[in-house]
Amino acid sequence: MTSGNKTMGFITRTVLATLAIVVVTAGSAAAFTGYGPPSFFGAAGSGTGQFSEPAGLGVDEASGDVYIYDSGNLRVQWFDAAGDRVEGELDGSGSPSGRFASPSSISEHAAHGTLFNLAVDNDLSSPSAGDVYVVDPGHNVIDKFSATGGYLSQLVGFKATIFGVAVDSSGDLWVSEEGEEGPTGNHGSVQEYSSALANVHIGEISPPFLRSPGIALDAQQNLYMPKGARDIAKFSEAGGVLQEEVTTCECVRGLAVDTGNNDLFSDEESLIARYGPFGEPYRSPIESLEGISASRAVAVNGLTHTVYASQLEADTIAVFKFGVLPDVTTGPPSEQARTTAEVQGEVNPDGQEVTSCQFEYGASSAYGQSVPCATAPGAGSSPTTVTADLTGLTAQSTYHYRLVAVNAQGAHAGADQEFTTLAAVEEVQTEGSSAVTAAHATVEGSLEPGGFDTHYFFEYNQPGKAPAATLVADAGSASKDVHLSAELENLEPRALYLYRLVGENQFGRTTGEYRLLRTPVLAPMIEGAPAASFITSQSADLSAALNPENTTTHYRFEYGPCPSLAGCEGIQSTAVEASAVYGHTPIGAQIGELAAATTYSYRLIASNRQIASCEGGYPVEEEGAIVRCEEGGTPVYEGGDVTGPQATFTTAPQIDVQAATGLASAVTATSAVISGTVDPDGQPATYTFEMGVYAGAATMYGVISSGPAGSGASPVEEVLPVGGLQPGVIYAYRVTIHSGYGEAVGAMVSFTTLGLPAALSSPGALPLLGTPNVAFPKASTPVVAPRSGGEIKTAKLKNALRGCRKHHKHAALAKCEKVARARYSLKGPAAKSATGRSNLLAGV
């Protein structure tokens, strides 16, 4: 077809569409035209008139029939314009490929729309007028059918997945293929075929973008395609880019052009966006057709301007009718009270009967409630004022509302308006505070009962903490302002409080604005006398109780070796620490390096004194606190210094631990038994045996055993069998004792193992004896010749009896020996084991 014929087809189509609008709007030159809410037809299923995931759409403008690609049932059904009657069905039977098939897989961009697409030739002068082109995505071909469903021909040979089909105003068929990423960018072919009965390929363009399914053409042969489902790109017939981004909804699922006026429609899943002729304005639609969900295609009848959208999940088709709608204006509210309001607006029926008039309202623009207009607008041709009373509202709450009028063509809603109902209690004002102390404050406010029985209370809290409230009090029912006050109790010092007045009556509760008050700083409080515990000859633990009064308080213990700190020499202090809590706070410190058997006096000293402000000068702050006043300013202090009561304690007597190395026995060529006596002097202690090859003063010792020495007041003998020695070598050993109060080292004792010395020179230290670090007071395991439990008890019994004889006589001696035997007696297997091991050692 020539360009002249294309133009003539567009003119003819535009004239028909214009005549249709003139008929609709006759008698109302200034009538409002547009789209009302959708109606729906279809249902889920596989029967006639039912759908499973309806997808592509097409309209035969001559008959008004709408074709729906029923993708889940792999068929196309067509209905009359209203969707009331099924006109026919086809499923691809009779074509070379057979029945329609689903694609085996789809790409990422294919998932943004649908591959089940179709188009109808609406050029009345075209040889293919009324024919239907159906994409078979499973075989990647296009089957051509007559308007009654008869198979005509098939288009094949496409290089990529078919992304869409459309017929232009001259009857030519355009086929969009999936874009590919190439060396010069992302692109894919768009093929053009003639309108002949046997369509002939006549051209190809390659727009340089990836795309999603969908294609549409306007009367100027401009092409519109989704650009990766985000934007809509506009191209000329020759493939030149005219507009790279028509919209930026990032959700385009399908496209259609109204052939009657060249309006562009974009399916955006939950709405259909309508743009002006040839896509203008590009950035924002002139209208949004709402009330749908999960739509995957859109089609428009260019004669009636009826819009169809497929709801993939609901298995229905949405129908948006175009026509004269009531002209609606939502007006401002005419009256508001506490729980009621009167709203008003204007409706111009534009000569058509208004079948419904109501105000929608609610807490948001989603509304949710409605009330009919007090009077019906009728069917006149001039604006009519309508009103409605809204009841059951909540005092001091914001409401949205709009006027909606409906006629036979559909509904038209006015713009959103809002209002706020009156407060339940009027003129609630939070006022100042007075008589503020660290724990109490008087707060004030006022309200107007307005003739209603009214009560009040004050809410208060520290920021971030749960609120408290004063007791509810009666404010009366006067018609004038009433001054009110209340006492805030149990406040904390140096704290910031928010408070506000709350009034309540039969309509609800009204709160005043928050105000602030700050309680003053109190000096810290030392609670009771200090105490000392864990007193030894060298150290003690001091404790006391302090209330920092919610202010950073620095504290320390002061102590000296005197019955009183007054005039005492050698007074010392613990390290300064800080606390800022509120309430009872236990604190403590450990002191050491004390003199034994000495009386010490001590006390707690605390201070939270700080500069609160500067009079006549400039305050200098560091870390949020004022550290000094400059320019002649005088500091104003808060808080204070506190000295607690004195107390005394006396350290324990000096501890005198002792160690004596005993003689070696049972000496062989490779073993010996060494011994020693240690005296803990009543305090927990450990002992060690150290041993090495004798070298006089240069002898190198290594620890070969350690263990607990107990905490008794009597000497304890320790015995250790040693093995792994070398023949003919002089060994030196000694016993040591360690406690928290000192240590003692026994004298060196030596012995010589039997036999001849080894040919090689003897080492300076025993090669087989380890030298482990001893962690006080935990005992380590002996490295050689461990003794059994029975042997240890036998040795300890021997030592205990020896101690009894050394320190006791007569009855005391008998009692001591009895206690020792009871403590270290052997029973059962231990006794046998000890006896056997003693015999073995004796044999060695």
Side-chain angles (χ1 to χ4, degrees):
M1 180 178 288
T2 65
S3 59
N5 289 334
K6 290 183 178 182
T7 303
M8 182 59 68
F10 166 60
I11 293 174
T12 302
R13 191 180 306 277
T14 303
V15 169
L16 291 173
T18 303
L19 289 174
I21 296 176
V22 169
V23 170
V24 171
T25 60
S28 181
F32 176 85
T33 58
Y35 290 92
S39 59
F40 302 92
F41 68 87
S46 58
T48 300
Q50 296 178 325
F51 304 110
S52 173
E53 298 185 350
L57 298 170
V59 175
D60 185 335
E61 295 177 353
S63 64
D65 290 349
V66 55
Y67 290 77
I68 297 100
Y69 209 139
D70 186 5
S71 68
N73 293 314
L74 294 174
R75 64 183 178 180
V76 173
Q77 298 184 88
W78 61 99
F79 296 71
D80 64 2
D84 297 331
R85 183 178 64 255
V86 178
E87 302 288 357
E89 176 183 325
L90 60 89
D91 59 9
S93 299
S95 72
S97 301
R99 297 190 60 180
F100 303 139
S102 298
S104 57
S105 63
I106 60 175
S107 66
E108 174 187 354
H109 287 283
H112 290 309
T114 179
L115 300 180
F116 293 91
N117 290 293
L118 58 84
V120 179
D121 186 346
N122 284 306
D123 178 16
L124 299 180
S125 62
S126 167
S128 298
D131 290 347
V132 184
Y133 298 93
V134 182
V135 177
D136 180 352
H139 301 108
N140 207 43
V141 298
I142 299 175
D143 293 327
K144 183 177 181 180
F145 299 89
S146 68
T148 56
Y151 172 75
L152 299 175
S153 62
Q154 186 179 79
L155 282 74
V156 299
F158 298 101
K159 298 177 182 178
T161 302
I162 300 172
F163 263 26
V165 291
V167 179
D168 67 18
S169 58
S170 66
D172 287 353
L173 175 69
W174 294 79
V175 182
S176 171
E177 297 182 44
E178 181 173 11
E180 298 178 348
E181 185 173 357
T184 59
N186 300 320
H187 61 86
S189 298
V190 177
Q191 313 289 342
E192 182 181 8
Y193 296 83
S194 70
S195 62
L197 290 176
N199 304 88
V200 178
H201 185 270
I202 58 176
E204 175 181 334
I205 61 174
S206 296
F209 302 114
L210 278 173
R211 64 189 66 116
S212 298
I215 183 173
L217 293 99
D218 59 28
Q220 296 177 348
Q221 309 303 98
N222 298 318
L223 289 83
Y224 302 85
M225 287 182 289
K227 179 185 173 185
R230 174 179 177 178
D231 307 319
I232 301 173
K234 181 179 180 181
F235 304 90
S236 69
E237 184 178 13
V241 178
L242 300 177
Q243 183 67 31
E244 187 172 327
E245 297 178 355
V246 175
T247 182
T248 56
C249 77
E250 301 188 18
C251 56
V252 178
R253 296 295 180 261
L255 299 171
V257 170
D258 186 334
T259 58
N261 57 21
N262 285 290
D263 282 356
L264 173 66
F265 290 83
S266 169
D267 187 333
E268 299 180 3
E269 288 197 286
S270 60
L271 58 85
I272 305 298
R274 176 190 174 196
Y275 295 85
F278 307 105
E280 299 179 5
Y282 296 117
R283 284 295 179 182
S284 58
I286 60 175
E287 185 177 4
S288 292
L289 285 59
E290 301 179 348
I292 60 175
S293 64
S295 181
R296 280 299 181 273
V298 60
V300 188
N301 187 324
L303 296 178
T304 64
H305 308 290
T306 302
V307 175
Y308 300 89
S310 61
Q311 295 198 116
L312 189 74
E313 297 175 357
D315 294 320
T316 58
I317 304 301
V319 183
F320 295 89
K321 292 183 178 180
F322 181 86
V324 176
L325 301 176
D327 197 352
V328 177
T329 301
T330 306
S334 53
E335 182 180 332
Q336 300 109 267
R338 289 178 171 86
T339 59
T340 61
E342 183 181 75
V343 292
Q344 52 91 24
E346 288 187 347
V347 177
N348 186 343
D350 289 325
Q352 299 198 31
E353 183 70 27
V354 174
T355 58
S356 173
C357 176
Q358 64 182 11
F359 285 89
E360 296 178 338
Y361 67 99
S364 69
S365 56
Y367 308 110
Q369 301 181 72
S370 63
V371 59
C373 301
T375 56
S381 299
S382 59
T384 300
T385 299
V386 293
T387 63
D389 291 327
L390 310 185
T391 60
L393 307 180
T394 301
Q396 202 170 354
S397 299
T398 299
Y399 287 88
H400 292 255
Y401 70 99
R402 69 178 180 183
L403 176 60
V404 181
V406 183
N407 64 11
Q409 300 296 321
H412 183 208
D416 178 81
Q417 294 271 19
E418 64 180 56
F419 64 87
T420 300
T421 53
L422 298 180
V425 181
E426 295 186 43
E427 301 299 327
V428 177
Q429 301 290 331
T430 308
E431 298 173 355
S433 58
S434 60
V436 179
T437 69
H440 307 275
T442 300
V443 291
E444 301 173 346
S446 62
L447 54 80
E448 182 182 318
F452 301 100
D453 184 28
T454 303
H455 292 77
Y456 75 95
F457 60 92
F458 285 86
E459 287 182 340
Y460 62 100
N461 65 284
Q462 294 183 46
K465 294 186 178 181
T470 62
L471 295 176
V472 177
D474 190 357
S477 56
S479 298
K480 60 181 180 179
D481 284 351
V482 177
H483 184 77
L484 309 166
S485 65
E487 298 295 321
L488 307 187
E489 304 288 345
N490 300 317
L491 306 181
E492 296 180 3
R494 192 183 173 272
L496 186 68
Y497 282 89
L498 299 168
Y499 68 96
R500 65 180 179 181
L501 174 63
V502 181
E504 56 185 6
N505 58 17
Q506 66 192 65
F507 303 109
R509 179 176 292 178
T510 301
T511 57
E513 296 292 329
Y514 275 110
R515 297 196 68 171
L516 297 172
L517 68 84
R518 180 182 178 275
T519 54
V521 174
L522 288 181
M525 179 186 297
I526 296 176
E527 301 175 350
S533 59
F534 299 104
I535 302 168
T536 71
S537 61
Q538 302 174 5
S539 64
D541 288 354
L542 307 183
S543 61
L546 173 70
N547 183 352
E549 298 290 5
N550 206 36
T551 304
T552 299
T553 298
H554 296 87
Y555 62 88
R556 58 187 172 86
F557 285 97
E558 187 178 67
Y559 62 97
C562 308
S564 173
L565 291 175
C568 182
E569 294 184 3
I571 294 177
Q572 301 182 66
S573 295
T574 60
V576 176
E577 297 187 49
S579 176
V581 300
Y582 177 68
H584 179 83
T585 306
I587 58 175
Q590 187 178 69
I591 56 177
E593 299 183 0
L594 306 180
T598 302
T599 297
Y600 281 81
S601 57
Y602 63 100
R603 64 188 175 191
L604 179 65
I605 296 176
S607 174
N608 63 6
R609 190 168 183 264
Q610 57 186 255
I611 302 174
S613 61
C614 294
E615 291 185 353
Y618 178 73
V620 177
E621 294 187 3
E622 291 182 6
E623 298 182 356
I626 302 175
V627 294
R628 64 180 183 274
C629 297
E630 293 188 347
E631 297 179 6
T634 302
V636 177
Y637 289 95
E638 287 185 330
D641 304 321
V642 179
T643 299
Q646 291 188 56
T648 61
F649 67 88
T650 301
T651 54
Q654 179 64 45
I655 303 301
D656 185 17
V657 295
Q658 299 179 18
T661 309
L663 298 176
S665 61
V667 178
T668 71
T670 59
S671 65
V673 177
I674 60 176
S675 64
T677 302
V678 292
D679 187 348
D681 199 16
Q683 298 295 330
T686 62
Y687 74 91
T688 61
F689 278 106
E690 299 175 335
M691 191 171 181
V693 176
Y694 177 75
T699 299
M700 298 174 60
Y701 293 95
V703 176
I704 60 173
S705 179
S706 65
S711 57
S714 302
V716 178
E717 183 178 16
E718 303 293 344
V719 179
L720 177 67
V722 182
L725 306 180
Q726 297 182 20
V729 175
I730 301 175
Y731 288 95
Y733 64 94
R734 62 189 180 188
V735 67
T736 65
I737 184 170
H738 310 267
S739 78
Y741 305 96
E743 68 176 18
V745 181
M748 178 193 72
V749 175
S750 65
F751 66 89
T752 304
T753 53
L754 301 180
L756 296 176
L760 299 177
S761 60
S762 299
L766 291 176
L768 300 181
L769 301 180
T771 55
N773 292 325
V774 179
F776 179 85
K778 183 177 180 181
S780 62
T781 303
V783 296
V784 294
R787 292 184 290 173
S788 68
E791 290 178 307
I792 293 173
K793 281 198 171 184
T794 299
K796 289 190 174 182
L797 176 58
K798 181 180 178 181
N799 292 334
L801 293 174
R802 185 179 299 167
C804 289
R805 291 192 291 271
K806 179 179 178 182
H807 295 282
H808 302 284
K809 293 182 180 180
H810 308 299
L813 172 62
K815 183 178 180 180
C816 179
E817 290 177 342
K818 182 179 179 180
V819 172
R821 287 190 178 92
R823 181 176 183 184
Y824 298 112
S825 63
L826 298 178
K827 298 179 181 179
K832 295 180 181 179
S833 174
T835 302
R837 182 154 178 96
S838 297
N839 294 335
L840 178 61
L841 290 173
V844 174

